[in-house]
Amino acid sequence: MFHKVLEKHYNIEISDEPDYIICSCFGEDYKNYDCVRIMLIGENFSTDWNEYDYGIDFDDYSFLDRHFHMINNAFITMDYASVDKMRTKHLHAEQSFKEKTKFCSYIYSNPIPFRDAFFDRLSQYKPVTAGGKCKRNIEDINGSVMSSKDWNNKPIKEGVFEKIEIEKSHKFSIAFENSLREGYITEKLVDSFAAGTIPIYYGAPDVTKYFNEKAMVIIKDEQDVENAIERIKEI
């Protein structure tokens, strides 16, 4: 992304002795370079101003000229096809929704207690397709539902590379962030919109600052779960 932006204005050279280093919060290799450090993070972390000169993250520090506020879907725009699909979903939403044959998708790799509990609760209403490593109940995109007994006997893929393909046959998708923070909006919501689903969203309290609240079902807290399920039934 930085090449595409910066080469419009500068001659860019990748160097072992850089003037600037763009790095994240994983590891400490950046300390090997005596130059300006720019923090770029798509995780729920803040820039450590003792370690970095500039920060690009989820925090909204409008008063700092050393900081750029950018939610996750913004910095993946240039290379992430889901963003374009999200932007054009309204052009075919009505017909697409009528053609969907499945209820709701759930595609995650890591277990999060509240998210998993919501999957279990919603599954009491109608079957929810779990296509990731977490609570997986399908073998592949075209596979049949597997029982827990089968899980012990069949190799499970490490991940689901056809995430959008799986999601787009569903009317809803569960789009829960791993953690809550204002401005912390990840690809989970973008992918749900890109697949033409109605996201069931739990995450950033200020999500409606960036996305249309009428286009999704928002769960504000754990006490809001039953209200959300009633709204899903109504839709």
Side-chain angles (χ1 to χ4, degrees):
M1 182 192 77
F2 285 99
H3 256 272
K4 293 180 179 179
V5 172
L6 295 176
E7 68 184 1
K8 296 178 181 179
H9 308 281
Y10 305 97
N11 293 322
I12 304 299
E13 177 186 353
I14 301 298
S15 172
D16 290 329
E17 298 179 354
D19 298 311
Y20 300 87
I21 182 167
I22 300 167
C23 49
S24 193
C25 63
F26 306 103
E28 297 187 342
D29 288 352
Y30 64 88
K31 293 183 178 180
N32 297 330
Y33 300 91
D34 184 19
C35 63
V36 174
R37 300 172 184 168
I38 302 172
M39 161 74 132
L40 170 68
I41 185 63
E43 304 294 335
N44 193 357
F45 293 98
S46 294
T47 300
D48 183 347
W49 300 110
N50 294 316
E51 296 287 340
Y52 302 90
D53 299 286
Y54 293 88
I56 303 174
D57 59 32
F58 294 97
D59 291 317
D60 190 2
Y61 296 144
S62 56
F63 55 90
L64 272 183
D65 60 4
R66 298 168 57 193
H67 180 267
F68 190 81
H69 173 223
M70 189 157 58
I71 61 174
N72 201 336
N73 74 82
F75 70 68
I76 56 181
T77 298
M78 292 193 173
D79 303 302
Y80 205 52
S82 291
V83 174
D84 288 331
K85 292 179 181 178
M86 174 185 69
R87 286 173 170 163
T88 59
K89 67 180 177 60
H90 62 285
L91 299 178
H92 49 78
E94 186 172 347
Q95 182 61 32
S96 173
F97 200 76
K98 291 178 180 178
E99 294 173 354
K100 294 178 183 296
T101 57
K102 299 177 182 177
F103 171 51
C104 184
S105 63
Y106 183 84
I107 305 177
Y108 292 93
S109 297
N110 301 313
I112 301 292
F114 179 53
R115 189 165 65 196
D116 290 349
F118 182 78
F119 167 86
D120 293 336
R121 175 65 185 90
L122 189 60
S123 296
Q124 294 174 10
Y125 169 56
K126 283 185 177 182
V128 178
T129 302
K133 288 191 292 183
C134 186
K135 289 188 171 290
R136 190 180 184 109
N137 58 20
I138 60 171
E139 183 176 1
D140 55 46
I141 185 172
N142 297 312
S144 57
V145 174
M146 294 193 299
S147 67
S148 57
K149 180 180 179 181
D150 290 331
W151 293 352
N152 298 323
N153 301 322
K154 292 185 178 181
I156 303 298
K157 293 179 182 178
E158 278 301 303
V160 176
F161 298 101
E162 312 92 345
K163 181 181 179 183
I164 301 298
E165 291 301 310
I166 291 178
E167 285 195 338
K168 72 181 185 181
S169 61
H170 296 77
K171 297 177 181 178
F172 296 87
S173 58
I174 296 175
F176 279 33
E177 305 292 2
N178 292 342
S179 55
L180 274 63
R181 182 179 185 168
E182 288 199 356
Y184 181 58
I185 303 169
T186 69
E187 79 289 342
K188 298 174 181 64
L189 184 56
V190 176
D191 288 344
S192 294
F193 279 131
T197 70
I198 297 175
I200 305 168
Y201 183 76
Y202 176 71
D206 59 344
V207 65
T208 58
K209 180 178 177 180
Y210 307 98
F211 293 90
N212 179 9
E213 63 182 315
K214 295 180 179 180
M216 53 184 155
V217 176
I218 299 175
I219 298 177
K220 298 177 181 178
D221 50 44
E222 295 187 24
Q223 287 69 44
D224 199 32
V225 167
E226 295 304 321
N227 290 333
I229 290 178
E230 288 304 312
R231 176 62 177 148
I232 291 165
K233 291 178 180 180
E234 179 185 357
I235 295 171

